[in-house]
Amino acid sequence: MELCRLLYRRLARVSFFPMHLKSPYYGWGLALLVLTAIRIVMGAVVPLTPDEAYYRLWALAPAAGYLDHPPMVAVFIKLGLLVAGDNACGVRFLGPLSAAVGTILLAMATRDWLQHLAGYSAKDAQRAGVRTAVLLNGTVALGVGTLLMTPDTPLLLFMTLMVWSLGRLCVTGNGAWWLLVGAAVGLGFDSKYTALLPAGGMGVWLLATQAGRGWLKTWWPWLGGAVAAVCVSPVVWWNATHHWASFMKQGGRTGDWHPARMLTYFSELVGGQVGLMSPGVFLFFIGGCVVLWKQRDSFSRLLLCMILVPLAVFVQHAVGARVQANWPVVLYPALAMAAALPRWRGWKVASGVGIALVALIVIQAVASPLKLSPHLDMTLRQMGGWPDFGRIVVAHVPADSVLIADEYGLAAELAFYAPVGRPVVAVEPRWSLFTFPKAACGEGYLIRSRRRHDMPDTALFTVLSQEQDLARERDGAVGERYALYHVRTQCDAAGHGQNAVLLPSRH
């Protein structure tokens, strides 16, 4: 506790609250510290999801790009592993810290903006800053996103940095802030490609408003663009030298087009956002956009463009294809700022409901008080029973055998939860993009989900025998069943397994 007090006193010296206003907000600052500590502890307790285990492998094979996403999530995980070790806490360590930093930046941005609007005193602006921070932390997306390390984690941090630096730009008129805007956009792109959408809204503001066109007559936005280009160049270079693999994978989503299912996709889009924002915060976000529309200052116009342009893209996409629920998370920092405009009561309750929902999710993931099927229980389906499953697999195969998986998530989980030193071989074309050593062909035991009703690919494996099925369970509830095959991997011309690599185990 003494360390926490010392840390808080040091932060208070550079706090965004004026001295005479600091004491009323002491409780909010302390609450953020406590919430961050709780998130770190929970991140250490909850088992890794398959995607998180997969991203951990990215951190162990540093590159400027990967098939599924840009590399920033791997950078975050690598830093966490260096601090907290190769464990669940290390994988997720930077999530709660980045959320805390983003919370402070967003509160500062709201304060800077509103204290220059008519009708807002300095004290009103301070309170609105707190309201913004509390509402953002009341979203289920941020609450769960601080426990699970995904590309959205660094994306939210850099989008918040972008919003804050744009706020400083509009308030101070100092063009040098464009350099930080450019860095935030570039690093956001290095986190997830959807960062281009708010940046596109900023581009519309530059072209469509008098204030924006005024900036275009100076060197500053162009220099900011140069900074962004430098930041994204490693990702572009990696794609250029790897057959544009990542760009093609993400861009290929536009080819899935089924307009006849438009109503289904729209209902999923809206329902997903009500769930990820939490119902009360969703209403504040909508109300904030309505009030924001009526504002006429340059930053309000900018914020509105950064919301409407991505929203238009998501709505257009939902006409014929599914919008994944987490895609609009890129809008949440701007939406949280807009939500500070309505001076409605109930914002604490709205945020509290969201935090309570996150707490229920964590409790279910850790203690499993509700016995639900994996179809209804996302925590069971994604996280349930992995530590025990690693031991179960090893107990059912000979001690000198190799574990094999032809699903990237399952392979990554086995590499993390199987006993140290037990070789795990991943067989899938995606692994050719990694620097992991090639696996020699030979015999081993292939684990495959029973959700896949086909037999192992004969171009990759010769099945020698089928063994007893295995189950991944949490407190008696089965998350998934797996078939176990004794196989021989097919050899390529160099004597390696076809599309097979040897994954690093924990150390």
Side-chain angles (χ1 to χ4, degrees):
M1 277 304 293
E2 187 58 35
L3 178 61
C4 289
R5 292 192 192 97
L6 177 62
L7 211 72
Y8 185 84
R9 283 197 296 270
R10 289 190 175 274
L11 287 172
R13 293 175 187 172
V14 293
S15 160
F16 59 90
F17 299 120
M19 288 301 295
H20 66 285
L21 291 176
K22 281 180 186 174
S23 56
Y25 299 95
Y26 177 88
W28 293 112
L30 186 59
L32 181 59
L33 286 175
V34 171
L35 184 60
T36 301
I38 292 173
R39 286 168 170 171
I40 291 174
V41 173
M42 290 298 97
V45 172
V46 176
L48 295 185
T49 66
D51 280 348
E52 288 181 291
Y54 178 49
Y55 299 143
R56 166 188 167 268
L57 294 175
W58 292 14
L60 300 180
Y66 300 91
L67 173 64
D68 309 83
H69 293 290
M72 190 59 71
V73 65
V75 174
F76 270 45
I77 292 174
K78 184 66 175 180
L79 294 174
L81 296 180
L82 292 174
V83 173
D86 192 2
N87 49 52
C89 182
V91 170
R92 297 163 169 160
F93 186 70
L94 256 63
L97 297 183
S98 65
V101 172
T103 295
I104 294 171
L105 287 176
L106 206 62
M108 293 169 61
T110 303
R111 178 212 62 181
D112 291 345
W113 168 40
L114 294 186
Q115 69 184 4
H116 288 83
L117 282 184
Y120 285 89
S121 66
K123 194 170 184 178
D124 290 336
Q126 296 286 357
R127 289 173 174 168
V130 170
R131 193 158 60 246
T132 293
V134 172
L135 286 170
L136 181 67
N137 279 271
T139 62
V140 174
L142 186 73
V144 174
T146 55
L147 300 178
L148 307 181
M149 179 57 71
T150 72
D152 289 316
T153 304
L155 174 69
L156 277 173
L157 174 63
F158 293 120
M159 290 300 94
T160 301
L161 179 63
M162 175 187 175
V163 169
W164 175 69
S165 51
L166 283 169
R168 297 301 302 163
L169 172 77
C170 291
V171 167
T172 65
N174 185 348
W177 286 104
W178 278 112
L179 304 180
L180 187 56
V181 172
V185 171
L187 295 173
F189 178 89
D190 294 342
S191 304
K192 200 171 182 179
Y193 298 134
T194 50
L196 289 176
L197 298 179
M202 180 181 66
V204 169
W205 177 81
L206 283 168
L207 294 171
T209 67
Q210 183 177 356
R213 291 191 296 270
W215 279 115
L216 288 177
K217 297 176 183 178
T218 72
W219 283 102
W220 290 113
W222 308 103
L223 290 174
V227 171
V230 170
C231 290
V232 306
S233 58
V235 177
V236 176
W237 173 84
W238 184 90
N239 273 275
T241 55
H242 290 80
H243 310 290
W244 306 103
S246 186
F247 290 166
M248 293 293 291
K249 177 178 173 61
Q250 296 300 329
R253 295 177 185 270
T254 58
D256 184 19
W257 196 251
H258 306 285
R261 300 184 62 187
M262 179 177 64
L263 292 179
T264 299
Y265 294 143
F266 269 111
S267 63
E268 289 178 353
L269 174 60
V270 175
Q273 293 318 296
V274 172
L276 281 184
M277 293 177 185
S278 78
V281 175
F282 177 82
L283 294 177
F284 271 89
F285 281 5
I286 297 299
C289 289
V290 172
V291 178
L292 184 65
W293 181 275
K294 301 175 182 179
Q295 303 299 317
R296 292 295 178 263
D297 63 288
S298 62
F299 184 71
S300 295
R301 299 288 90 187
L302 173 56
L303 208 59
L304 191 62
C305 288
M306 290 173 62
I307 293 171
L308 292 182
V309 169
L311 183 61
V313 172
F314 293 137
V315 169
Q316 183 276 333
H317 191 80
V319 169
R322 176 170 285 108
V323 176
Q324 299 297 327
N326 64 313
W327 291 359
V329 168
V330 71
L331 294 172
Y332 285 17
L335 287 171
M337 289 188 67
L341 287 171
R343 305 187 195 192
W344 299 342
R345 296 179 179 179
W347 55 275
K348 296 177 186 177
V349 173
S351 181
V353 169
I355 293 174
L357 289 174
V358 173
L360 291 175
I361 293 171
V362 173
I363 292 170
Q364 180 67 13
V366 174
S368 191
L370 301 177
K371 305 304 179 184
L372 304 174
S373 74
H375 300 290
L376 299 175
D377 188 350
M378 176 268 294
T379 68
L380 174 61
R381 188 169 64 250
Q382 289 288 312
M383 295 171 270
W386 283 114
D388 290 336
F389 184 68
R391 293 188 287 269
I392 290 172
V393 169
V394 170
H396 282 76
V397 301
D400 58 349
S401 61
V402 175
L403 306 180
I404 305 172
D406 59 355
E407 302 170 74
Y408 73 89
L410 176 57
E413 292 280 16
L414 291 173
F416 188 77
Y417 285 112
V420 174
R422 196 61 180 264
V424 176
V425 171
V427 181
E428 202 180 340
R430 73 175 61 230
W431 299 110
S432 64
L433 300 174
F434 288 75
T435 57
F436 295 131
K438 300 288 186 181
C441 57
E443 294 186 16
Y445 285 81
L446 172 66
I447 302 97
R448 295 182 100 232
S449 171
R450 274 298 185 189
R451 286 182 292 102
R452 303 171 67 182
H453 300 295
D454 59 332
M455 291 293 290
D457 189 346
T458 55
L460 302 175
F461 308 103
T462 297
V463 177
L464 304 177
S465 65
Q466 183 169 350
E467 310 296 323
Q468 176 185 350
D469 282 6
L470 305 176
R472 174 169 57 85
E473 301 181 27
R474 184 183 67 197
D475 295 332
V478 176
E480 196 158 357
R481 297 188 182 276
Y482 300 86
L484 181 64
Y485 300 92
H486 183 199
V487 302
R488 180 185 297 112
T489 55
Q490 304 287 12
C491 295
D492 62 16
H496 300 127
Q498 294 278 4
N499 298 321
V501 299
L502 184 64
L503 298 181
S505 61
R506 293 172 66 181
H507 44 266

